[in-house]
Amino acid sequence: MFIATFISLYLVVSIIYYGNKKEDYSHVRHTISELGEVTTPNSTIINWSVFFPVGLCLIGLPFLSPMPQNLMGLSLSLGFGYLIGAVFPCDEGSPMSGSLRQQIHNLGAGIQYFGSVYFLRETGQIPGLESMGYVAILVFMGAVILSISSFNAVRGLLQRIVELLLFGSLLYLLKLIQ
């Protein structure tokens, strides 16, 4: 639980810090990935000192302490999303299409969001954890809306809400198994 909480706080602080350092960056309009996009001066630092270790820790979390399969799947989905995003930084503006690197980056996002939806939905079928099924629906809707260009003005805000749901669910479920 400590590692997951630390990683979550580290990610939030890093996003705020680097978002405030990046010229013309808006937490409402721009995605988290755009902090590490290839044209950003600090992209190497952000990708390798923020996104990569966050992904690595989330992937390693299930191996540090035993956890149910659905929770392990959620942690791995989140972790692979961040790890792939770090190794394959997005093109400028993080478009839905673009270079091969961008397509692999988007695949990582798909693994993160839709993998998490699957494991949250499965968790929601456990008596007493039905709320996770509703979270899965919200994350799914958010992921779909993120891909629609007419929502670009609020894409960053929407992504942060989805990330909050995912990391909040992870922390909540980890707390339950302690």
Side-chain angles (χ1 to χ4, degrees), residues 11-143:
L11 181 61
V12 168
V13 169
S14 296
I15 289 168
I16 292 168
Y17 175 77
Y18 285 111
N20 290 336
K21 282 187 72 150
K22 185 175 179 185
E23 191 175 326
D24 297 325
Y25 184 83
S26 166
H27 291 284
V28 173
R29 284 190 325 273
H30 299 106
T31 64
I32 295 167
S33 293
E34 289 174 81
L35 290 171
E37 68 189 6
V38 293
T39 58
T40 299
N42 292 325
S43 66
T44 302
I45 293 169
I46 294 164
N47 287 315
W48 294 102
S49 71
V50 179
F51 299 150
F52 189 83
V54 166
L56 207 56
C57 286
L58 289 167
I59 290 170
L61 194 62
F63 302 101
L64 296 175
S65 64
M67 59 181 62
Q69 185 176 359
N70 292 339
L71 185 51
M72 183 186 324
L74 176 60
S75 186
L76 291 173
S77 296
L78 282 167
F80 278 114
Y82 275 89
L83 203 63
I84 292 169
V87 175
F88 298 94
C90 67
D91 293 344
E92 186 173 353
S94 195
M96 289 308 296
S97 61
S99 67
L100 176 60
R101 182 190 57 250
Q102 177 67 44
Q103 295 306 310
I104 296 170
H105 181 90
N106 290 345
L107 176 64
I111 290 169
Q112 176 179 338
Y113 292 135
F114 297 111
S116 294
V117 164
Y118 173 80
F119 291 109
L120 285 169
R121 186 185 66 77
E122 291 296 308
T123 303
Q125 295 178 4
I126 298 170
L129 294 175
E130 292 87 356
S131 62
M132 292 297 109
Y134 297 113
V135 172
I137 292 168
L138 292 173
V139 170
F140 177 79
M141 289 173 29

